[in-house]
Amino acid sequence: MNLNFLYNFGRYLVLLRTALSRPEKFSMYWKETMRQMNDIGVGSLVIVCLISVFIGAVTAVQFAYQLQDSFVPSYYIGYIVRDSTIIELAPTITCLVLAGKVGSNIAAESGGMRQKEHIDAMEIMGVNTAAYLIMPKLIAALFVIPLLVCTAAVVSIGGGYLSSVPTGWITDAEYIRGVRSFFEPYYVFMMFVKAIVFAFILTTVPAYQGYYVRGGSIELGQASTQAVVYSDILILLADYLIAILLTV
Amino acid sequence: MIRIESIRKSFDEVEVLKGVSASFEQGKTNLIIGKSGAGKTVMLKILVGLLRPTAGDIWYDQTNFGQLDKRQLRELRMDVGMLFQGSALFDSMTVEENVRFPLDMFTNKTAKEKLDRVNYCLERVNLEGVNRKYPSETSGGMQKRIGIARSIVLEPKYLFCDEPNSGLDPTTALLIDELIVDITRENNITTVINTHDMNSVMEIGDNIILLHLGELTWTGNKDEVLESDNQVLQDFIFASPFLQRLRRAALSSSGE
Ligand SMILES: Nc1ncnc2c1ncn2[C@@H]1O[C@H](COP(=O)(O)OP(=O)(O)OP(=O)(O)O)[C@@H](O)[C@H]1O
Ligand SMILES: [Mg+2]
């Protein structure tokens, strides 16, 4: 078990090192990066927005309920929705969802290419397949996923508004006052750190799983599932570590 | 020319190749033949470096293949073309994009030059007007030909084909064989072909090596096949009673 873990971890690092070498043809990598940005970014926008609306809405409702009979001013709802989504909910939940959507897709795509000998065919041509298959995805993700997370945070705050203002919990002015109170730019920095680290995990781990897949369709399915499970675990672990490192 | 010396390969204790030495000559079609499971695909993958031999050396002309680092290996591979048993065409790209891929990746040609080269290669394999199709929209024989077009687009010095005509009707199979022979002669390249098709053996076997149970049991050319009294070879080529009768008839008529 332990040896197996070390073997995979070592091979993962070696693959990453190979993936980060000089492209043989810049224009081909550029084209592929643009395609990936479109796939990851545009392709995930709807689901990310949908989830974010609900995250914001639920957070607002729950806090409104808890604050009901307390002496905490009700405009705090806006403040709490803003901070909890920026610090934790937007980056973590968005990236857990993206690990499922983007991650499984990456694992299945590269795994399929391995099994259908596409990777071998490229190797024979002289292509550095680790670089060509991983680098564009990684660059695209590192660029696009923080933007998605940012969008998620904004939409969540909108979701909080939708669930607490029209329903009469608090007034429009109170919610906005809450959203504008006690703002800490440092939290936005934390959000971006998390988004970047999570984006790295949810592209490289599935890419590794797919790149070294063996066997047939059952193994491909397993690789895709494992890619998501491992990415999720690593994202949560990284979340915890970042929380500790950036708050003490 | 490619030379291999005492190549061994094991998968978890099972020895698939047990010390094979041979040479594959330039300007000729070199055949690796043998029964299913004899180790032909493993041999070819070792030759191109997709698998590492457990022991033994491979020489590409003056270059010791095993001692190349990753960069040098990639440079050598610009001179290598390979047709896979399952064609291995990229299914999200059109036929034209497939054949153009090596040009896109490794050359600085203009779009016009690339298109000309792609069209030339497609013409060379008798495929015209399929540029915009996807591989899934073409037949198995066409896919093989597209695979060949893609493997020759960078003008390789070494060409490897894994069962280029398996699963094809005899006429198409013959066409593909002839195509490979022509390309080999025209460009004076070193071609290595895996096959278990006896028609190919008798038509295009300039230099044949027979693998059996992981060992090299026979080498020769197509003209020597008939006369050889190697039992493994005879069992392999003239597998059916019908073919055995044909061989006896051929031998007795040439003896008279
Ligand atoms: N990756 C592998 N792991 C373990 N054993 C393998 C592997 N690849 C091939 N073998 C074994 O090596 C032997 C030779 O296989 P190979 O694919 O070279 O046969 P072949 O001569 O190409 O057969 P065919 O004509 O059917 O394509 C087989 O017994 C196979 O089980
Ligand atoms: Mg084979």
Side-chain angles (χ1 to χ4, degrees):
Chain A
M1 164 63 210
N2 274 335
L3 263 180
N4 200 10
F5 168 77
L6 281 180
Y7 169 75
N8 278 299
F9 185 65
R11 203 165 57 150
Y12 168 76
L13 292 183
V14 172
L15 181 68
L16 279 187
R17 224 203 75 79
T18 324
L20 299 177
S21 42
R22 220 173 72 86
E24 41 274 88
K25 193 70 180 292
F26 189 74
S27 60
M28 288 293 277
Y29 280 65
W30 178 251
K31 214 172 87 185
E32 184 64 13
T33 307
M34 290 297 124
R35 189 176 77 84
Q36 294 293 342
M37 280 190 182
N38 189 50
D39 278 9
I40 299 174
V42 180
S44 309
L45 198 56
V46 173
I47 180 109
V48 165
C49 287
L50 190 73
I51 288 164
S52 307
V53 170
F54 281 97
I55 291 174
V58 172
T59 314
V61 170
Q62 300 267 295
F63 273 101
Y65 175 72
Q66 284 183 344
L67 297 186
Q68 236 171 11
D69 302 318
S70 73
F71 294 107
V72 180
S74 51
Y75 75 85
Y76 265 51
I77 291 174
Y79 153 64
I80 284 164
V81 169
R82 184 202 67 210
D83 273 5
S84 54
T85 50
I86 288 181
I87 297 174
E88 175 65 12
L89 297 175
T92 311
I93 296 191
T94 304
C95 288
L96 288 177
V97 169
L98 289 179
K101 185 176 178 296
V102 177
S104 67
N105 183 34
I106 289 177
E109 188 185 309
S110 8
M113 291 185 72
R114 164 65 73 198
Q115 292 184 338
K116 286 183 277 182
E117 296 187 313
H118 293 178
I119 294 184
D120 287 346
M122 283 190 188
E123 278 288 332
I124 295 295
M125 291 172 193
V127 178
N128 178 349
T129 52
Y132 184 64
L133 294 179
I134 297 175
M135 204 198 301
K137 295 185 176 79
L138 182 59
I139 291 173
L142 289 179
F143 189 77
V144 168
I145 289 181
L147 292 180
L148 282 174
V149 168
C150 212
T151 313
V154 173
V155 173
S156 294
I157 294 169
Y161 180 93
L162 286 180
S163 74
S164 54
V165 177
T167 51
W169 289 96
I170 53 173
T171 66
D172 173 84
E174 276 177 312
Y175 189 81
I176 289 173
R177 182 179 166 203
V179 170
R180 299 177 66 171
S181 305
F182 321 112
F183 180 64
E184 279 270 10
Y186 184 66
Y187 293 165
V188 176
F189 168 74
M190 271 172 72
M191 177 183 81
F192 278 116
V193 170
K194 286 185 178 183
I196 287 170
V197 172
F198 298 169
F200 186 85
I201 292 172
L202 74 85
T203 41
T204 54
V205 172
Y208 170 77
Q209 291 284 341
Y211 192 83
Y212 285 116
V213 76
R214 299 180 165 277
S217 45
I218 292 180
E219 283 82 358
L220 185 57
Q222 282 169 349
S224 175
T225 312
Q226 274 177 4
V228 177
V229 172
Y230 291 153
S231 305
D232 282 351
I233 294 172
L234 287 173
I235 284 174
L236 293 171
L237 204 67
D239 191 24
Y240 178 66
L241 288 179
I242 293 169
I244 291 175
L245 287 176
L246 292 187
T247 51
V248 289
Chain B
M1 190 176 93
I2 299 175
R3 212 149 40 78
I4 53 175
E5 281 165 12
S6 349
I7 293 287
R8 292 177 176 277
K9 177 70 187 175
S10 316
F11 293 105
D12 317 314
E13 316 288 294
V14 183
E15 199 162 42
V16 175
L17 296 175
K18 301 170 184 166
V20 179
S21 304
S23 60
F24 305 104
E25 287 159 41
Q26 192 175 352
K28 291 191 176 172
T29 43
N30 302 275
L31 266 51
I32 301 176
I33 63 174
K35 276 195 274 200
S36 191
K40 302 185 295 294
T41 299
V42 171
M43 187 75 240
L44 209 63
K45 286 191 171 168
I46 287 175
L47 276 175
V48 296
L50 288 175
L51 290 174
R52 279 197 168 278
T54 316
D57 285 316
I58 302 165
W59 293 83
Y60 274 61
D61 294 311
Q62 307 323 319
T63 315
N64 187 336
F65 192 74
Q67 286 175 357
L68 301 177
D69 64 29
K70 277 195 172 169
R71 269 249 322 284
Q72 293 167 317
L73 184 61
R74 282 192 203 110
E75 268 161 33
L76 176 70
R77 279 185 170 159
M78 313 255 165
D79 290 332
V80 172
M82 178 156 176
L83 174 67
F84 283 78
Q85 203 162 352
S87 297
L89 300 175
F90 309 136
D91 36 27
S92 59
M93 301 182 192
T94 62
V95 170
E96 182 181 312
E97 286 165 342
N98 260 285
V99 180
R100 205 180 57 209
F101 186 86
L103 294 171
D104 284 339
M105 201 56 141
F106 298 113
T107 69
N108 292 313
K109 289 182 160 64
T110 63
K112 170 87 173 57
E113 287 168 333
K114 285 190 241 180
L115 184 64
D116 286 347
R117 178 73 191 152
V118 168
N119 284 337
Y120 170 80
C121 290
L122 284 173
E123 243 169 69
R124 194 70 202 72
V125 297
N126 301 319
L127 278 177
E128 277 149 277
V130 294
N131 291 38
R132 304 251 164 275
K133 287 198 176 184
Y134 283 89
S136 59
E137 298 166 347
T138 62
S139 74
M142 285 161 98
Q143 288 175 13
K144 291 262 154 119
R145 281 185 279 168
I146 299 163
I148 294 177
R150 187 178 68 182
S151 58
I152 61 171
V153 76
L154 283 181
E155 305 185 33
K157 288 196 211 131
Y158 311 96
L159 182 63
F160 300 88
C161 305
D162 198 354
E163 314 223 356
N165 49 21
S166 65
L168 301 178
D169 66 88
T171 327
T172 314
L174 211 63
L175 216 72
I176 289 192
D177 279 348
E178 280 166 7
L179 193 65
I180 295 174
V181 172
D182 288 349
I183 291 167
T184 305
R185 301 268 154 79
E186 265 167 42
N187 306 302
N188 195 27
I189 58 186
T190 306
T191 302
V192 182
I193 304 168
N194 269 359
T195 185
H196 48 199
D197 179 38
M198 80 143 256
N199 284 322
S200 305
V201 176
M202 300 310 279
E203 291 299 329
I204 64 169
D206 292 339
N207 175 25
I208 304 170
I209 74 171
L210 171 67
L211 289 183
H212 182 64
L213 301 176
E215 281 175 278
L216 191 155
T217 15
W218 185 82
T219 65
N221 63 36
K222 62 186 175 200
D223 302 320
E224 291 159 3
V225 168
L226 223 51
E227 274 97 36
S228 162
D229 50 11
N230 183 305
Q231 199 50 46
V232 179
L233 178 73
Q234 297 310 332
D235 289 349
F236 174 73
I237 304 272
F238 305 102
S240 70
F242 169 67
L243 289 171
Q244 283 159 14
R245 281 200 300 279
L246 271 188
R247 170 172 182 259
R248 276 197 296 276
L251 279 178
S252 64
S253 71
S254 68
E256 276 161 16

